[in-house]
Amino acid sequence: MDLDTVRTFVAAADAGQFQGAAAELALTQQAVSKRIAALERSLGVRLFTRTARGAELTIDGQAFLPHARELLRVAERAAASVRTGRRPLRVDVIASRGAPSGLMRGFHRAHPEIELDVMMLFGIDTAVAAVRSGAIDASFRAVGMPGRPLPEDIESVRVLDEPLQLLTGPAHALASARSVTLAELAGHRIWMPGLVPGTEWAAYYDGLAAEFGLTIEATGPNFGSDALLDTVADTPALATFMGEQTRLVWPAGHGLRRIPVTGPTPVYPHSLLWHRDHPHPALATLRAHLGAAASGHDAAGTWTPGWVTAR
Amino acid sequence: MDLDTVRTFVAAADAGQFQGAAAELALTQQAVSKRIAALERSLGVRLFTRTARGAELTIDGQAFLPHARELLRVAERAAASVRTGRRPLRVDVIASRGAPSGLMRGFHRAHPEIELDVMMLFGIDTAVAAVRSGAIDASFRAVGMPGRPLPEDIESVRVLDEPLQLLTGPAHALASARSVTLAELAGHRIWMPGLVPGTEWAAYYDGLAAEFGLTIEATGPNFGSDALLDTVADTPALATFMGEQTRLVWPAGHGLRRIPVTGPTPVYPHSLLWHRDHPHPALATLRAHLGAAASGHDAAGTWTPGWVTAR
DNA sequence: CCCGGCCACAACCAACGGTTGTGGCCCTAG
DNA sequence: CTAGGGCCACAACCGTTGGTTGTGGCCGGG
């Protein structure tokens, strides 16, 4: 199926005749006729009944028409997604189920007119390079990591401090705790596959482990969150950290527990990064939205690494 | 933009290399290379970075990928909509804003897994012919109209009795009435453009007008519901009937009034029609849904034409 | 250092998709 | 009834597109 052919179909349906569609598309009537015939052959149904004064849709044609329009809309959006110049606001989030993803969903609900492309890059270095090059318009990351100062032309603002929770299976020693302190976690095995050295989130957990004497293991291949949850659910000695706002596809019957962490509560600092010089037109709207949505969290009783810039 | 090219792009992105995509699509590597190059040229951006052991997506490519997948999904649905054999359930409703449309929305919410094509045919004759031919799977219509018995192979069941309301502008004599009786409407001008002789809805209003001595005018071209509402809002002497469940795009500030009609309340009898012999697999689900959703309306105090089959 | 894997470029060729020319059908006006 | 106009389909023709095969360059691993 060819999109030009679909466009021709829609034009013919709107015009009610092939001739008119041909004029609109700067084609001959014969070309339109051939295109429609080809489309009908490929679909295996007749789309128009040809009459002496035009062509009108068959029932199959009527059924196909809205789908054809939708197809053209989607194609237009797809092309717009990579158009240089005015294109959808392209934002990098750290993971599809994480808190920044939720922030973007909220932004989309508040501003459905702003076209969005949400993507996931790998690590703050890639993200910063992409923001600097203009390939993306903004990124949610934790900034300030030692040895990786933000370039001068990148601006950032803290938009969300997300408390971490402990995730355990039902047989874990802490499974029935209402809450746990970081001190109580010393000696327990915390498993976080996917913690890649050199990334900002690895630096965060390294700092957390060092400061409170935790054992955080990043060993083993990262088979994705489903496999992680399965393993944690089945292994009494394993637990993992997870953002409070992380959306889980909670496997039914696994009995996974989310346990708040206190004394202090580790919070993951999400900042929005963007380029100082050539911001996307919709970026201001995003910043305003995030500023309004940011609840004034109290920093007391929480922990962030020393390298995180104060709010 | 060509859908085969988009398919090639997705295959290459999934495979991580052109060679693998070529094998999957039964093409040569060179053909894939040319297609991708053509797509990049038409979009004006580079989608892959070519490396010695494959090709990986650029950021633009990553942004484009989900749109490309969506495009293929929509194309698949479009093709399925006219596929002979297993295809989406195709249902004819009397108007896009009317009650049957609402019933189908409810059905879709209850059964999002069932693919639907909702369409609007013209009159019960067209609808019955389409159902008999298998071109559509079901139709919502008022059945029993004099001289138009349903063919033997068409079955029907009453699914909704929709009370009619009077719609008036703010300056209409009845505008401030809490409710009106049919007797009170005698002498008032009821305007219903679009009431085409020979259709089942024209027969309905003809019967209504005859039995209660109403003046129903079908004169003038039907410029659509917006124009109708505008005129009714501005003309003190005009009113119109409208189904209780009809969704209006209520023009702000027009002061249109919806007034219940009583003594008796005219109700429009929506029946579901389908073919006795070769029903669509999902039709049973639709009938079950409509049966469950149908509130047991009390027929007392309501009016339907004599030709309407009892429930 | 060489080999293997992968992609790009070039040359060639079939097939697709456009054009012009023409004929048939249907409706309308004279 | 007939002539004419409007519209679509078919046929012939032709340029361009998109496929193939053949080949060369680049990069990484043994």
Side-chain angles (χ1 to χ4, degrees), chain B residues 7 16 39 81 89 102 113 122 125 140-141 166 184 203 205 218 261 272 274 290 302:
Chain B
R7 219 179 306 280
L39 183 60
S81 73
L89 185 68
E113 78 285 2
F122 186 81
D125 296 336
F140 287 92
R141 295 285 162 176
L166 193 71
E184 289 169 341
Y205 287 105
V261 180
L272 184 74
W274 68 94
L290 293 175
T302 67

Side-chain angles (χ1 to χ4, degrees), chain A residues 76-88:
Chain A
E76 173 50 37
R77 274 212 301 277
S81 73
V82 294
R83 184 150 32 235
T84 52
R86 275 204 323 272
R87 64 145 190 244

Side-chain angles (χ1 to χ4, degrees), chain A residues 163-165 167 205 228-229 240-244 246 248 258:
Chain A
L164 296 187
Q165 298 181 325
L167 195 76
Y205 287 105
L228 169 64
L229 296 183
T240 192
F241 280 126
M242 186 146 290
E244 174 187 274
T246 300
L248 294 186
R258 298 180 89 137

Side-chain angles (χ1 to χ4, degrees), chain B residues 17-19 30 33 50:
Chain B
Q17 57 178 37
F18 292 3
Q19 201 104 260
Q30 290 86 335
S33 176
R50 279 74 163 169

Side-chain angles (χ1 to χ4, degrees), chain B residues 6 12 24 26 31-32 46 53 61 83 89 136 169 181 197 202 207 224 229 270 274 287 293 306:
Chain B
V6 174
E24 179 147 344
V32 172
R46 192 141 263 259
R53 65 178 171 296
R83 186 154 26 239
L89 185 68
I136 66 174
T181 64
L229 297 183
H270 299 281
W274 68 94
R287 288 181 51 196

Side-chain angles (χ1 to χ4, degrees), chain B residues 98-100 160-164 204 242-246 266-270 297:
Chain B
L160 178 67
D161 282 1
E162 185 186 22
L164 296 187
Y204 175 91
M242 186 146 289
E244 173 186 277
Q245 299 185 22
T246 300
V267 299
Y268 193 90
H270 299 281
H297 270 305

